[in-house]
Amino acid sequence: MCWPRATRRAEAARARVTGLEQGAGRLLRRRELAQARDHYALAEDARTLARQQADRAADREREARRADLEQRRHQCAARQAVERLQTRQRAHREQRASTGMSAPTPTSRALGRSTEPTGAGSPRTDERERGGREREAG
């Protein structure tokens, strides 16, 4: 039952009880007065229940709004994090392109190989290359 409607019914029942309690025929209408009082008590209970239900519904609505708002905040934070990551990746790619470095392949990354252009390497790398060439020469 709707809370305002329950309130109107309770007020009408109270007015009926008040009307029956007053007046000269009050003793003749005892049964009607008792019924009116019972009806008033039921209407008051219905009004109280309707008010409690309305309060609970309002609480649930508030919680739902707070959860929609919270979800929007999380979505915004996730979107910003993705945008920052994409910006960093773009800058890194541009930097590699401008310095002549190739992008690391999954194989070179797994083997720990450098993606820098070959040139004068470390003494150890030069030694390995020489050893291989000397073996080939005999």
Side-chain angles (χ1 to χ4, degrees):
M1 181 179 295
C2 180
W3 181 68
R5 187 180 330 149
T7 300
R8 285 193 301 273
R9 285 185 179 179
E11 289 171 357
R14 185 176 345 131
R16 174 98 169 117
V17 168
T18 303
L20 290 171
E21 287 177 338
Q22 297 172 352
R26 153 175 112 218
L27 296 176
L28 298 174
R29 298 187 198 140
R30 279 189 184 163
R31 179 198 267 170
E32 195 175 341
L33 179 60
Q35 288 175 345
R37 284 181 179 156
D38 289 343
H39 183 71
Y40 174 64
L42 290 174
E44 276 296 313
D45 290 344
R47 184 187 68 80
T48 302
L49 180 62
R51 182 67 206 171
Q52 289 171 347
Q53 289 173 340
D55 289 344
R56 278 190 233 121
D59 291 343
R60 285 191 301 270
E61 181 181 5
R62 244 187 324 275
E63 287 299 317
R65 287 178 190 269
R66 194 173 297 137
D68 293 345
L69 183 59
E70 184 80 14
Q71 184 179 20
R72 273 190 236 128
R73 284 185 194 136
H74 288 296
Q75 287 173 342
C76 184
R79 189 174 29 256
Q80 289 173 348
V82 167
E83 289 172 0
R84 283 192 306 267
L85 176 63
Q86 288 173 342
T87 301
R88 269 189 259 141
Q89 287 176 337
R90 195 175 309 113
H92 190 65
R93 274 191 302 253
E94 290 171 0
Q95 182 184 14
R96 283 177 173 258
S98 67
T99 59
M101 294 172 55
S102 63
T105 63
T107 307
S108 66
R109 199 179 296 140
L111 296 175
R113 293 185 183 155
S114 173
T115 56
E116 295 179 11
T118 57
S122 69
R124 191 170 202 175
T125 305
D126 291 340
E127 188 178 308
R128 271 190 246 137
E129 289 177 5
R130 259 187 277 119
R133 280 184 254 151
E134 290 173 358
R135 272 185 245 131
E136 288 174 9

